């Protein structure tokens, strides 16, 4: 309890400035009030008001887009080593304020401290990784033809919009903003309305690290106001979006008139397939981690367990015992494994599935209940006896809720795994190498882990297929999105030019 009290006291110190002056928009290095007034950020822990937040819309986006356009030329042309040095200083700034970021994120989103303290540091890693790529990011190829020497170069596309969700918002923002800045783009960031605090810390840290005014601008507000205006703005060349699949479709429509380039990282209903020859103890740990960590509010969560019928009973029995022992509690308590869900709206959505599961004929084998009435707490939940046609198997619940479905054969496992609109991740547990090769070859997902939970390696491509997204992040894939390719062809001799009108 003492640790929790200390953390609460530290958090109170960090929140004092937000309580006093709220969260302003940050445009061209200046605090700017929202053109539509303010909205309130609410903590899911006890439903208390954290602070006022600037409510931005089209006017604010216009101002920010013009600031990003103004700052673009100088940022693009700054020597790569200087840009690299600034990105490294941003990483150092994040590390220096990691505790502040983690505590504010926990209070704003309900995520447990044990995960958010790591997420803050992963934000710094994102900046360090892309800082290391800055120098060669624009390098191209030379492609010789019989008559021409072709030289390719890459140039940053221009000011870009970054629209982020409320789940691990700080880490996800850095995941988009760091490569954009490394490429030489300037950014207008529209953070999720449910989690504005750490986006404010990020722009502050970046400016303190020497990022010139206007290179990163933050406009708060709702999707249909600020978000939509960002997609529609003619000076914004591309939108990097992370959020729900149906919002991804809106982003595409809204950007059509200005021919926006979009990168969409969307929802998932990811399968974890456990075959009876797997290391079942490790599989159990991974199954639990990948749905109950980060409140299950995680795009890559394995929310469908496909377990082979021969081991189902034993595996589910162990699962139930472990799920019932998961600690739900105050997010700042380092012992807590699951904190409250982010908003009332999301809490209502997740808890509705407790009834839907029963209506559809599944068994609520663990959880399925809410806790207290102060905040948005639920018990981690397991549905068993489900079929893949049920809504609990088809729809993204995005909470600590796992649906278990049994299968008999490899073919059936694959059929169930692929029978969903989504295709973000897949997890396969088997000790049969040839089976692993066959199954991963046919599994419809952008990323697959065999005998492992999701372990992110930054140079690898991250993204989904089907309704889970379009485009890839990571390594050079990020630069492909934030840059334009240019080909320049030089004649190497006096090749014959077709002559007309001679
Ligand atoms: P959301 O789509 O509701 O909101 C995401 C962001 O989009 C917010 O900033 C919101 O204000 C904005 N937005 C909403 N409507 C908009 C519009 N019409 N135009 C422009 N912007 C608009 O998503 P959420 O509920 O905040 O986040 C959870 C979702 O994000 C889940 O579906 C999850 O799977 C997904 N997600 C995907 C990944 C991935 O990498 N694939 C990662 C994290 C989260």
């Amino acid at each position: 309890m003492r640790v929790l009290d200390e953390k609460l006291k530290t958090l109170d110190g960090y929140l004092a400035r937000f309580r006093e002056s709220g969260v302003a928009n940050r445009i061209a290095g200046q605090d700017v009030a929202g053109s539509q007034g303010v909205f309130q950020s609410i903590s899911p822990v006890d439903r208390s008001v954290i602070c006022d937040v600037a409510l931005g819309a089209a006017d604010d986006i216009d101002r920010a887009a013009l600031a990003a356009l103004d700052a673009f030329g100088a940022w693009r042309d700054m020597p790569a080593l200087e840009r690299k040095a600034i990105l490294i200083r941003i990483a150092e700034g994040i590390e220096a304020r990691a505790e502040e970021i983690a505590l504010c994120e926990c209070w704003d989103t309900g995520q447990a401290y044990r995960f958010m303290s790591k997420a803050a540091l992963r934000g710094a890693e994102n900046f360090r990784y892309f800082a290391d790529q800055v120098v060669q990011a624009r390098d191209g190829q030379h492609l010789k033809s019989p008559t021409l020497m072709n030289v390719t170069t890459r140039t940053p596309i221009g000011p870009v919009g970054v629209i982020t969700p409320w789940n691990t918002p700080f880490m996800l923002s850095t995941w988009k903003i760091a490569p954009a800045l490394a490429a030489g783009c300037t950014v207008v960031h529209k953070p999720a309305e449910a989690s504005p605090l750490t986006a404010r810390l990020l722009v502050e840290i970046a400016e303190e690290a020497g990022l010139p005014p206007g290179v990163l601008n933050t406009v708060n507000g709702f999707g249909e106001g600020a978000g939509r205006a960002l997609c529609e703005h003619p000076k914004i060349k591309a939108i990097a979006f992370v959020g729900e699949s149906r919002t991804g479709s809106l982003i595409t429509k809204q950007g059509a008139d200005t021919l926006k380039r979009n990168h969409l990282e969307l929802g998932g209903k990811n399968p974890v397939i456990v075959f009876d020859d797997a290391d079942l103890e490790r599989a159990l740990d991974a199954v639990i981690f990948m749905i109950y960590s980060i409140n299950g509010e995680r795009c890559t969560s394995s929310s469908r367990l496909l377990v082979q019928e021969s081991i189902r009973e034993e595996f589910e029995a162990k699962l139930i015992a472990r799920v019932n022992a998961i600690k739900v509690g105050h997010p700042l308590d380092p012992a807590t494994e699951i904190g409250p869900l982010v908003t009332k709206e999301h809490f209502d959505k997740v808890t509705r599935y407790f009834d839907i599961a029963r209506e559809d004929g599944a068994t609520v084998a663990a959880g399925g209940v809410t806790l207290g009435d102060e905040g948005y707490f639920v018990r981690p939940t397991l549905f068993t006896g489900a079929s893949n046609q049920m809504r609990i198997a088809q729809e993204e619940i995005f909470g600590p809720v796992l649906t278990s479905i049994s299968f008999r054969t490899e073919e059936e496992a694959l059929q169930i795994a692929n029978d969903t609109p989504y295709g973000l991740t897949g997890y396969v547990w088997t000790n049969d190498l040839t089976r692993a090769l066959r199954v991963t070859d046919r599994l419809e997902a952008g990323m697959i882990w065999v005998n492992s939970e999701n372990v992110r390696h930054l140079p690898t491509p991250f993204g989904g297929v089907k309704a889970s997204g379009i485009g890839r992040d990571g390594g050079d894939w990020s630069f492909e999105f934030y840059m334009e390719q240019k080909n320049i062809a030089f004649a190497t001799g006096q090749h014959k030019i077709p002559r007309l009108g001679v």
Side-chain angles (χ1 to χ4, degrees):
M1 211 52 193
R2 249 197 53 229
V3 185
L4 173 58
D5 288 343
E6 274 166 24
K7 295 243 177 277
L8 278 168
K9 205 167 148 219
T10 314
L11 170 70
D12 199 55
Y14 291 139
L15 291 181
R17 42 108 25 135
F18 288 124
R19 276 196 297 266
E20 199 164 302
S21 34
V23 177
N25 290 334
R26 189 81 182 164
I27 300 175
Q30 303 289 324
D31 278 352
V32 182
S35 64
Q36 309 297 304
V38 293
F39 66 99
Q40 290 183 321
S41 184
I42 309 285
S43 174
V45 182
D46 59 2
R47 308 183 192 214
S48 62
V49 174
I50 303 174
C51 63
D52 286 342
V53 183
L55 179 55
D59 287 350
D60 316 67
I61 289 291
D62 187 49
R63 205 162 155 180
L66 295 180
L69 183 65
D70 254 10
F72 176 59
W75 179 245
R76 175 195 59 203
D77 297 339
M78 183 184 282
L81 284 174
E82 280 178 42
R83 273 190 295 116
K84 173 178 177 169
I86 293 175
L87 297 189
I88 289 174
R89 283 202 299 275
I90 297 177
E92 289 165 353
I94 292 172
E95 282 153 1
R97 290 173 72 176
E99 177 78 350
E100 180 183 0
I101 295 164
L103 294 180
C104 289
E105 192 105 304
C106 293
W107 191 246
D108 212 9
T109 65
Q111 291 289 349
Y113 177 80
R114 64 163 64 208
F115 300 118
M116 286 313 97
S117 54
K118 295 194 186 83
L121 294 173
R122 270 196 58 198
E125 251 176 65
N126 289 338
F127 270 94
R128 280 190 194 284
Y129 174 79
F130 286 107
D132 280 343
Q133 317 292 314
V134 165
V135 176
Q136 66 270 31
R138 294 181 194 170
D139 288 352
Q141 302 181 6
H142 56 273
L143 305 161
K144 198 172 176 311
S145 81
T147 55
L148 298 163
M149 173 60 83
N150 292 275
V151 176
T152 71
T153 64
R154 290 200 295 199
T155 51
I157 189 168
V160 298
V162 171
I163 303 179
T164 46
W166 46 255
N167 67 315
T168 51
F170 183 82
M171 199 286 291
L172 280 174
S173 303
T174 62
W175 175 234
K176 295 286 171 190
I177 292 170
L181 298 180
C185 294
T186 52
V187 175
V188 177
H189 179 204
K190 208 301 278 169
E193 52 273 31
S195 56
L197 296 192
T198 53
R200 169 65 196 202
L201 298 182
L202 179 60
V203 67
E204 246 171 52
I205 290 168
E207 287 178 9
E208 277 161 18
L211 194 74
V215 173
L216 172 61
N217 308 275
T218 310
V219 176
N220 293 283
F222 294 91
E224 58 274 22
R228 183 187 180 112
L230 189 54
C231 299
E232 291 176 345
H233 202 283
K235 298 298 181 201
I236 295 292
K237 296 295 164 203
I239 297 286
F241 172 76
V242 185
E244 286 186 23
S245 300
R246 63 168 183 271
T247 318
S249 150
L250 286 175
I251 300 279
T252 309
K253 286 187 192 127
Q254 292 162 180
D257 283 347
T258 51
L259 294 176
K260 210 68 94 217
R261 179 185 292 184
N262 294 314
H263 182 177
L264 307 175
E265 284 184 16
L266 309 176
K269 191 72 185 177
N270 311 301
V272 50
I273 309 176
V274 182
F275 288 99
D276 59 7
D277 64 3
D279 180 334
L280 295 180
E281 289 308 313
R282 283 177 65 77
L284 185 68
D285 286 344
V287 165
I288 293 168
F289 178 75
M290 279 313 303
I291 184 65
Y292 299 112
S293 62
I294 316 196
N295 290 355
E297 295 167 336
R298 177 179 195 155
C299 57
T300 54
S301 73
S302 51
S303 47
R304 285 184 303 152
L305 165 64
L306 313 189
V307 57
Q308 197 150 24
E309 183 54 32
S310 46
I311 52 160
R312 183 189 55 76
E313 217 177 309
E314 186 192 340
F315 197 81
E316 283 181 348
K318 286 185 179 166
L319 189 55
I320 291 166
R322 287 275 293 275
V323 174
N324 283 329
I326 288 175
K327 291 187 192 63
V328 180
H330 196 291
L332 297 193
D333 183 343
T336 290
E337 292 171 315
I338 293 185
L341 301 178
V342 66
T343 57
K344 164 100 172 57
E345 187 192 8
H346 190 57
F347 172 82
D348 289 345
K349 172 184 160 176
V350 171
T351 52
R352 254 198 314 277
Y353 282 96
F354 300 165
D355 296 331
I356 290 175
R358 292 187 188 96
E359 280 163 25
D360 286 2
T363 302
V364 181
V369 290
T370 61
L371 288 173
D373 47 18
E374 257 203 0
Y376 307 128
F377 294 89
V378 297
R379 276 299 313 164
T381 296
L382 172 68
F383 301 137
T384 56
S387 80
N388 202 50
Q389 278 64 52
M390 293 180 184
R391 284 172 284 173
I392 53 171
Q394 287 293 318
E395 297 169 13
E396 188 187 41
I397 301 174
F398 215 59
V401 180
L402 177 62
T403 299
S404 177
I405 302 163
S406 77
F407 69 87
R408 287 178 195 281
T409 63
E410 183 181 311
E411 191 57 34
E412 193 190 357
L414 265 168
Q415 188 274 323
I416 296 172
N418 289 337
D419 179 18
T420 154
Y422 297 105
L424 189 58
T425 63
Y427 305 86
V428 181
W429 285 86
T430 177
N431 275 325
D432 179 339
L433 176 63
T434 52
R435 166 145 69 194
L437 286 168
R438 278 193 306 274
V439 172
T440 52
D441 190 42
R442 288 178 55 200
L443 203 53
E444 294 167 1
M447 296 166 282
I448 302 171
W449 280 267
V450 179
N451 296 335
S452 174
E453 81 287 24
N454 165 354
V455 182
R456 181 84 188 102
H457 181 49
L458 293 178
T460 58
F462 184 102
V465 301
K466 294 157 72 178
S468 290
I470 298 176
R472 293 292 179 275
D473 265 325
D476 206 47
W477 286 276
S478 296
F479 291 132
E480 283 289 319
F481 178 71
Y482 291 114
M483 291 197 179
E484 291 285 18
Q485 285 277 354
K486 189 186 282 183
N487 186 63
I488 310 148
F490 297 89
T492 48
Q494 302 274 315
H495 66 270
K496 190 164 180 278
I497 299 175
R499 299 180 74 207
L500 304 183
V502 182

